[in-house]
């Protein structure tokens, strides 16, 4: 069984037992989190699309940990003008293990 959920302004296709990295959630390791913004649920034969969400659809997950993605370097440069700006960014994430998908 698989589902499409929305969290942090992004959509993720998840399956039971899969591990995903989402935008940082303010939760401790080992806590359970439930996503009720389920956009689609499918089991291989039938697919239940939401309008925009599936009624009664829930996806449960367990927080495995938190981390930061690799550094992204941003460089702005204009030749012959003496203009150079450098900036770096590391996005924070939360790693989840999907435990249960309910179609409602």
């Amino acid at each position: 069984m698989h589902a499409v959920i929305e969290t942090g302004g992004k959509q993720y296709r998840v399956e039971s037992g899969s591990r995903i990295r989402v935008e940082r959630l303010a939760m401790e390791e080992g806590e359970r989190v439930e996503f009720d913004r389920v956009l689609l649920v499918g089991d291989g034969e039938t697919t239940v699309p939401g309008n925009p969400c599936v009624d009664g659809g829930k996806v449960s997950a367990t927080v495995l940990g938190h981390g930061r993605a690799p550094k992204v370097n941003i460089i702005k440069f204009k030749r012959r003008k003496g203009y150079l700006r450098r900036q770096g960014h590391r996005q924070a994430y939360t790693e989840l293990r999907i435990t249960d998908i309910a179609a409602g």
Side-chain angles (χ1 to χ4, degrees), residues 3 19-20 53 60 64 71 76 88:
R19 293 169 65 153
I20 60 170
C53 297
S60 300
L64 297 178
K71 187 171 187 175
K76 294 181 179 181

Side-chain angles (χ1 to χ4, degrees), residues 10-102:
K10 297 178 178 68
Q11 296 177 3
Y12 300 91
R13 183 181 189 274
V14 298
E15 297 175 356
S16 293
S18 64
R19 293 169 65 153
I20 60 170
R21 288 183 176 179
V22 299
E23 295 292 318
R24 177 112 184 184
L25 301 173
M27 304 192 85
E28 298 293 324
E29 285 187 36
E31 280 191 61
R32 290 179 54 91
V33 60
E34 285 193 354
F35 299 102
D36 56 353
R37 293 218 21 108
V38 179
L39 307 177
L40 180 135
V41 176
D43 63 359
E45 296 177 10
T46 60
T47 302
V48 179
N51 188 15
C53 297
V54 176
D55 291 330
K58 285 198 185 307
V59 174
S60 300
T62 304
V63 177
L64 297 178
H66 302 286
R68 292 174 70 194
K71 187 171 187 175
V72 177
N73 292 314
I74 299 104
I75 299 174
K76 294 181 179 181
F77 175 77
K78 295 188 188 295
R79 65 184 191 159
R80 298 189 304 268
K81 306 298 180 195
Y83 177 81
L84 173 67
R85 297 290 179 266
R86 294 176 189 247
Q87 184 178 358
H89 176 74
R90 291 185 70 189
Q91 185 68 39
Y93 65 82
T94 299
E95 191 161 4
L96 304 171
R97 179 180 303 282
I98 305 301
T99 55
D100 186 41
I101 297 173

